[in-house]
Amino acid sequence: SLSEKLQSAFARLGGRGVLSEEVVDKALHEVQLALLEADVNYRVVKGFIARVRERATGSDILKGLEPAQQVIKIVDEELTALLGGDDEATKLVFAPKPPTIIMLVGLQGSGKTTHAGKLAAFVRKQGRNPILVACDVYRPAAIKQLEIVGEQVKTPVFTKGDQIDPVDIAQEAVAEASTSGRDVVIIDTAGRLQIDDALMDELKRMKAAVKPTQILLVLDAMTGQEAVNVAKGFTDSLDVDGFILTKFDSDTRGGAALSLKTIANKPIKFIGVGEKMDALEAFHPDRMASRILG
Amino acid sequence: TGKSRKIDEQLYEELEEALIGADLNIHTTIRIMRDLRDQVRDQDARTADDVKDILRNALVEAMVAGDEGYFSPLKQSPTAPTVYLVVGVNGVGKTTSIAKMAYRFKEAGHKVVLAAADTFRAAAIDQIQIWGDRLGVTVVCGKEGSDPASVVFDAIRHARAAGADYVICDTAGRLHTKQNLMEELKKINRVILRERGGGPADETLLVLDATTGQNAILQAQEFKKAVDISGIILAKLDGTARGGIVITIKDELKVPIKLIGTGEKPEDMEAFEPHTFVKGIFE
Ligand SMILES: Nc1nc2c(ncn2[C@@H]2O[C@H](COP(=O)(O)OP(=O)(O)OP(=O)(O)O)[C@@H](O)[C@H]2O)c(=O)[nH]1
Ligand SMILES: Nc1nc2c(ncn2[C@@H]2O[C@H](COP(=O)(O)OP(=O)(O)OP(=O)(O)O)[C@@H](O)[C@H]2O)c(=O)[nH]1
Ligand SMILES: [Mg+2]
Ligand SMILES: [Mg+2]
């Protein structure tokens, strides 16, 4: 682990009042390696290390701590603060007047369809009345997949088949929800590349047509350096409200989380921790920080 | 311009950033950059372009070290059917890659059978059946929730009886950290071993998502331990991710990259070619 690496690197340095530049440089070199191994974006790492260096150099070593421990303490605090921030922002936002409309977007295979189901189950537990909307008209059996997911979470699925413009499907779904007492509309969209202009346009049109309460970018927690560009692409086009990081039940360190927070500065609303419909958790910045550091 | 730009620290920093940005492992990158500086000195390189050429050649060498050539073609069985097993974590592109392989073989006049051995995920069987219908290839299924190993068994038997040239087995996405799922995969593999008189599938292909970072190394390690991966399919290279992690995987695990996925249509698959791949890292 990082703390073990730092402990051994500093085994022979006695604690001596303040953290010297030399001690800080040595420690931050290890931290930098750890963050890159954890998939934190290269530029984000540089900025983060610079911040920590500034705070750590010359700082008092707290009583009872080794220099290495002091550096880790600062790194962990900075990381947690960056990942966390406003607790309220991490909650799902509901419309003052129903229906609440949630649009799920993201790259191919990130877990949108699965998490549409998980969100439906989540809001049902809160006593709400969701409906799922099948707006992926491209992927073979995507609608069937959402219908099976819908059955698993006892939520109806609105579909108009795969020959209709997804924007029209979304509009009709919202109109129907308003008249049938459905107070949460969860729209599953097709996976797409953030550089696919035509498909990004489709999402822009959908946003303009249904005015979602929340647009959530569903991103795989094992995403590497491109997490920044993917987030930027979706955020620039759609001004997403937050993220769902999926497949956190793997052993990925999840550094993409830090890249998302630093670059897009939007909250991580949920993490996905499995294939079942109850595998949805809130995002905990402190746990995430120690996971990223390794 | 690169032709007259001199060699300085900023150049090395930019190249290092390009490698890391392409998801090369940091330790692989450190080693490559150190070797690069040595080679620049030894070869008396003068311009930035010279340095980039040396780096590109080094990366190509890393991709083909220990191989017979630049291409790593799919192995064929001397006696039909050739059997391919396709594995990987969730959502990486296994089912779609299988459709692409089936399309290619069908276009070449071969008879293909697909094994719908993802009996777990919602509409997984529907998904591969639609591909089978579109491509005109037989899909052997069991009922949803049935044992994947028995679907593979049925598919191989059916393929033999029907004189098919290829059987390609789809499996459910599974995290390499889930021991029970990796055990299930070993069981599927044992069925293949028995059906082929002790030999594994002609190819056991691990599909990796090009957007995946360092976790791809752990995926490759664990899948290799479980079912001795013979090749990698790197999918979703049409996105902005470069998939540089495969350089480390090839370097450390010696598993060749065989195919790349470049889109969602059946035609969107190509043989892996190292020069093109390395060029993509710097674009
Ligand atoms: N282990 C694990 N698997 C997940 C999680 N979320 C989704 N999956 C799996 O990941 C795969 C892809 O999930 P989907 O919901 O189909 O992904 P998608 O984003 O809708 O895919 P496209 O519609 O093709 O873009 C499936 O095998 C899911 O079961 C998660 O949190 N953990
Ligand atoms: N852009 C792009 N998308 C791809 C590529 N390969 C697969 N996809 C898409 O990625 C998504 C997931 O593909 P699947 O083939 O269902 O992936 P899988 O590994 O079988 O998923 P599970 O069975 O759920 O684990 C689908 O939306 C595919 O169309 C590729 O090379 N490029
Ligand atoms: Mg989907
Ligand atoms: Mg599949």
Side-chain angles (χ1 to χ4, degrees), chain A residues 135-209:
Chain A
C135 283
D136 180 351
V137 303
Y138 310 105
R139 170 174 156 153
I143 297 175
K144 180 99 194 274
Q145 183 186 1
L146 189 65
E147 287 176 331
I148 294 173
V149 161
E151 280 171 32
Q152 290 171 354
V153 296
K154 303 198 178 58
T155 301
V157 174
F158 182 95
T159 169
K160 298 222 69 90
D162 63 6
Q163 298 297 313
I164 310 263
D165 184 341
V167 178
D168 294 338
I169 300 175
Q171 272 183 302
E172 282 196 46
V174 171
E176 167 137 334
S178 316
T179 64
S180 64
R182 297 277 155 192
D183 57 4
V184 183
V185 178
I186 301 169
I187 304 174
D188 181 24
T189 65
R192 69 205 62 215
L193 303 175
Q194 81 278 11
I195 52 170
D196 186 326
D197 292 338
L199 286 182
M200 290 307 288
D201 251 32
E202 176 186 279
L203 291 181
K204 287 185 202 162
R205 285 192 299 117
M206 189 178 293
K207 174 180 180 179

Side-chain angles (χ1 to χ4, degrees), chain A residues 37 43 108 224 226 249 251, chain B residues 17 27 176 178 211 215 240:
Chain A
E37 283 168 351
R43 296 255 166 112
Q108 291 88 347
E226 276 308 297
D249 44 323
D251 53 1
Chain B
E17 180 169 356
H27 301 290
H176 50 289
K178 308 224 155 142
T211 67
N215 196 253
T240 51

Side-chain angles (χ1 to χ4, degrees), chain A residues 108-115 139 145 191 247 249 272 274-275, chain B residues 90:
Chain A
Q108 291 88 347
S110 63
K112 298 174 292 299
T113 304
T114 306
H115 284 74
R139 170 174 156 153
Q145 183 186 1
K247 308 178 202 168
D249 44 323
E275 296 190 74
Chain B
N90 307 73

